[in-house]
Amino acid sequence: MYKIVIKGGRRLRGEVSVSGAKNAALPILASSLLARGQSTYRNVPGLGDVITMRKLLGQLGAEVSGDGTTVVDTSNVVNFEAPYELVKTMRASALVLGPLVGRYGKAQVSLPGGCAIGARPIDQHLKGLSAMGARIELEHGLVTARARRLHGATIVFDVVTVTGTENLMMAAALAKGTTVLENAACEPEVEELGRVLNKMGAHVRGAGTSLITIEGVDELHPVDHAIIPDRIEAGTLMVAAAITRGNVLIRDCLPEHLDAVIAKLVAAGAEVTMEADGVRVVGKADIKPTDIATRPHPGFPTDMQAQFMVLMSKAKGQSVLSENIFENRFMHVPELMRMGADIVIDGHIAVVRGPVKLKGAKVMATDLRASACLVLAGLIADGTTEVLRVYHLDRGYDHLERKLRRLGADIRRVKVKGEL
Ligand code: EPZ
């Protein structure tokens, strides 16, 4: 068990490189199951959820080796079940459903229980697979999908779902005939998966838009692909620069993936400029109150809501943050309030009043982006902040505290004795 200890007050300076995108790496690693042989993935981030996906692929019989450059050999995949032990730690394990049914005609995945940020069912994933001819059975918390061969279908999502879109794209790649996905998720990671599938020999059109057409083929071949940079890590580092009145060059990020976040940082008074090899963020003393509403891409990403809330605690006035994607993604608020933040929650709306000088405290991380938010709060709080249960942070960030330390933060990881 570890905690992260931060002494607030340092202004971040220098430059930092963004790691590969967690939410691109997970579906892309799962897509290796669609082809027989060795696929190579570069710029794979070193973080908890990727380790879980590697373990899952291993349990299915694939051979997974390497780290930043990961090689997956699917020649000996013999098992088609994603066990509860792995699925309960990572909901994205459901991403093996589509590839397994698409390639092998069967899959068994433990239903992901709810998680900290909400119920997060996979009904849309299952609705799509059954429209493509899969027989779906639910029993003892396990979902089993079987099909001799999936056939194309037109599927309209009732709700925009990122991994739902990704699962059905992968299933459709080997189906007989054409599949049309309407009201599909437009996230950059969905677009990237479409690119990878086409490199494997699939015929995917429109990935990254809300209308995706996939013409099934009989076989796909392994791929060699480099993962795009993590836009949420980049956004988190941008907020870190803005709240500490720092001056940071964020390398290797794709600003076009962050239009909504950059627009809100500028509205809040930060200076954001595109440079040849990255995006520079300069934080200003005066932070303006700025409202945000989380929406599917290209709207403001829900995965940046908690981080932006820390910035708004410093704004002169009142900011309204509405969380429209998950029903319970304000778990960071009670902890921020223990540090002195002035926040009122009413349903899916949080009203943040500032400016408030946060005070260091012992705080508990509850989910991935909440833990990032508490680290950011520690950077600007008076005194020392200890963020406990940092395994949440490690699920989704590749050594965030090391990156912040290199930028001048007084931050370190400390082993904790006993259970916390
Ligand atoms: C992806 O999760 C991301 N994870 C999440 O990032 C991100 O917050 C989320 O998309 C929204 O952008 C990965 O890509 C691995 P959804 P996903 O299906 O696909 C409801 C992070 O911090 N829904 O788009 O699981 C669901 O309950 C993580 O990196 C259904 O009702 O999210 C939620 O309210 C957190 N039925 C909403 O849709 C379904 O079948 C969006 O969920 C599927 C989803």
Side-chain angles (χ1 to χ4, degrees), residues 22-24 26-27 49 90-92 95 115 117-127 157 159-166 185 187 189 230-232 295-297 301-303 324-327 329 367-369 395-396:
K22 165 177 90 76
N23 291 348
L26 295 175
D49 277 1
M90 183 182 70
R91 166 187 160 75
L95 281 167
C115 69
I117 61 178
R120 303 178 73 188
I122 57 169
D123 56 299
Q124 300 294 309
H125 303 231
L126 303 178
K127 177 186 117 171
F157 287 102
V159 59
V160 175
T161 159
V162 174
T163 48
T165 301
E166 291 164 346
E187 270 67 4
E189 294 77 21
D230 192 315
R231 63 192 167 96
I232 304 301
R295 299 282 177 214
H297 193 78
T302 172
D303 294 349
N324 303 300
I325 305 293
F326 291 110
E327 65 269 27
R329 208 172 194 177
D367 63 87
L368 166 53
R369 305 305 172 180
R395 280 194 50 187

